[in-house]
């Protein structure tokens, strides 16, 4: 018996930063200024995956997620997602952050919970 295919709630771009509110795409491929304006007076979350093969979370390829945006959202509202294969490929090396703001990099360092599948998470080290 074949199960029906589920359609995604929102179709997002592969690259860039998209903004979703109530399962609706509000803005696609936004820059830092627009992102700050959109999250100015409401709670927000960042859902992010690893960038490239080196394991960067912030600072390489996602300049829209500037120190100002990350501070506004807060570390507790950052959700990291990854495939287990991407994590295993790091061979124990920590995830990396390089936001250009050493104090923020230090704040983001430590351990983070990573969603690696449906109802599956792991804890992994983050370093500046």
């Amino acid at each position: 018996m074949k199960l029906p295919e589920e359609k995604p709630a929102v179709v997002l771009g592969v690259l860039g930063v998209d903004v979703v509110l109530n399962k609706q795409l509000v803005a696609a491929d936004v820059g830092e200024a627009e992102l700050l304006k959109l999250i100015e007076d409401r709670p927000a979350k960042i859902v992010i995956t690893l960038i490239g093969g080196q394991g960067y979370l912030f600072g390489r390829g996602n300049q829209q997620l500037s120190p100002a945006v990350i501070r506004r959202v807060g570390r507790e509202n950052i959700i990291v997602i990854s495939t287990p294969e991407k994590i295993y490929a790091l061979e124990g090396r920590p995830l990396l952050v390089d936001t250009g703001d050493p104090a923020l990099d230090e704040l983001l360092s430590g351990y983070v919970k990573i969603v690696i599948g449906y109802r599956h998470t792991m804890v992994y080290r983050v370093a500046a």
Side-chain angles (χ1 to χ4, degrees):
M1 177 169 144
K2 185 176 177 183
L3 297 175
E5 289 186 33
E6 259 189 62
K7 294 182 181 175
V10 179
V11 177
L12 303 174
V14 176
L15 301 173
V17 175
D18 298 332
V19 179
V20 175
L21 177 65
N22 297 325
K23 298 184 181 180
Q24 298 294 318
L25 182 64
V26 174
D29 199 21
V30 297
E32 176 197 20
E34 187 177 1
L35 195 51
L36 282 168
K37 185 178 176 184
L38 287 166
I39 66 173
E40 183 176 48
D41 59 353
R42 61 174 43 119
K45 294 189 182 293
I46 295 173
V47 180
I48 192 163
T49 190
L50 314 182
I51 302 166
Q54 293 94 18
Y56 276 90
L57 287 177
F58 296 106
R60 304 285 169 103
N62 58 15
Q63 286 77 23
Q64 310 91 320
L65 297 174
S66 67
V69 171
I70 296 168
R71 285 185 189 283
R72 169 66 185 87
V73 170
R75 186 183 198 277
E76 68 280 3
N77 290 310
I78 297 171
I79 301 167
V80 181
I81 60 173
S82 178
T83 62
E85 293 79 15
K86 280 187 177 182
I87 298 297
Y88 300 142
L90 293 173
E91 298 178 336
R93 294 184 312 271
L95 298 175
L96 301 170
V97 292
D98 181 14
T99 65
D101 179 335
L104 180 60
D105 292 347
E106 192 62 35
L107 178 75
L108 294 170
S109 295
Y111 287 86
V112 66
K113 182 168 70 171
I114 303 173
V115 178
I116 59 170
Y118 181 68
R119 293 189 182 190
H120 292 278
T121 61
M122 68 183 301
V123 175
Y124 204 83
R125 189 166 63 96
V126 177

